[in-house]
Amino acid sequence: MARLRRRACIALFLFTLFIFGTMMGLRTLKPSDGFSDLAPGLELEPFVERGERHAVSHEAVSLPEAPTSSDAKAPTPPMYYDLHIFYYMWYGNPHFDGKYLHWDHVMVPHWDPKISASYPKGRHNPPEDIGSSFYPELGPYSSRDPEVLEEHMNQLRAAAIGVLVLSWYPPGLADDNGEPSDSLVPFILDAAHRYAIKVAFHIQPYKGRDDHTVHENIKYIVDKYGSHAAFYKYRTSTGRSLPLFYIYDSYLTPPESWANLFTQAGSHSLRNTPYDAVFIALLVEGGHKRDILAAGYDGMYTYFASNGFSFGSSHQNWKTIKAFCDSNNLMFIPSVGPGYIDTSIRPWNNHNTRNRVNGKYYETALQAALLVRPEIVSITSFNEWHEGTQIEKAVPKKTLTRLYLDYLPHQPNMYLELTRRWAEHFSKEKEQWLM
């Protein structure tokens, strides 16, 4: 019996050794995660259509180590520099700014006084009552808070978004609910660089903006920030690395004025000067396509995350817009978003609300963008909380007077995760386009 037990023990030991060896072997044969042909942190070469004026050719980026947080335990994802996201630095709170900025947004009256009379007026009263239908996980934060900035970069990296498009006003200027914020740009560039994120500029409309003032704006940005390692450069088909600027509400300036700046023969042209760049106009109405072409712009984007709100933001029109751009050597950058709700600041605008449907709305927009095979996709937005387009982390919140929307039954990082998964899908699709 002792001999039998000894043989059984030996057999059991050999069997356990076999199982252990097999498991270790299988670990080395795990299925590909879709990036087996890439070194860690490398970006797929984006798709370029024949005949287009510009061609993306971003250099591979080796990601630096970033500060860890509770969400930074997963393997570092690659970064995708053909994904651009609109970012706002206009928020403030008493601790960093002496008062709330933007969280106390005014309720914008309707242009028709009769309609306006039916809706609430005044300002929001943070921290319990903010100018948003959602509530940020970070609370009503300040864009000046270094910890907030670090967390934002961490979230962007988790979403694998390579380019932050910074909403920018010239020094000394701001929108009606904010204060000048150009002084924050160096901190944003430094923080972005730590996470291998690039920064482009989204030039906002301001009183007196025209082709002459934008000429000065471009010179200022390039001279002051252009040498920073995080300053975004776009590689053209001729091998030049140029800054890329989005011009919001570009249609407010006549195309013949823009032509002075953006065409070769313009009276104060930026072309073939040290300040040349890729200039992207906002397409709202269908007729703006011709104006953008005549103005000498390099491409167009749609910004609004409300499908059907404008000609440009309507997914069904993107195929036509892309065809126009392809035939006229322009770039088309569709803008996608997770939803839209601005009734916290425009209480009369409920008809433009687009519900998130647990991420389905976002995925529909992403798929619509992918169908037109764009070089770049822009996302509206990281943190435009007033219009409910943010993918930043939001949490459930209920007060005596407010019940905020949230991402339940999903986690606060739901839209970051969804963006990362779609970014991977986008790159795999581009591989197929190249084939």
Side-chain angles (χ1 to χ4, degrees), residues 66-67 69 87-91 93 96 138-139 141-158 164 166 181-197 199 228 230 382-383 392:
S69 76
Y87 182 91
Y88 294 84
M89 58 175 177
W90 56 22
Y91 299 105
N93 61 28
F96 284 91
L138 297 174
Y141 55 75
S142 170
S143 296
R144 295 183 182 277
D145 185 343
E147 292 184 5
V148 165
L149 195 51
E150 207 71 29
E151 174 59 21
H152 282 177
M153 298 304 160
N154 192 49
Q155 291 187 31
L156 287 168
R157 177 160 157 172
L164 177 162
L166 187 61
S181 57
D182 177 66
S183 61
L184 294 181
V185 175
F187 300 101
I188 289 171
L189 286 164
D190 288 347
H193 183 55
R194 290 195 292 274
Y195 288 81
I197 295 167
V199 178
H228 197 287
F382 180 76
N383 63 340
E392 184 183 353

Side-chain angles (χ1 to χ4, degrees), residues 35-85:
F35 297 104
S36 57
D37 56 337
L38 296 177
L42 297 193
E43 178 209 3
L44 287 169
E45 184 69 17
F47 169 77
V48 179
E49 287 199 352
R50 186 179 301 138
E52 291 201 359
R53 180 181 303 177
H54 297 286
V56 185
S57 179
H58 302 291
E59 295 179 8
V61 174
S62 178
L63 293 181
E65 283 303 310
T68 58
S69 76
S70 57
D71 295 328
K73 295 173 183 176
T76 300
M79 302 294 283
Y80 297 95
Y81 297 90
D82 46 10
L83 278 186
H84 296 187
I85 192 162

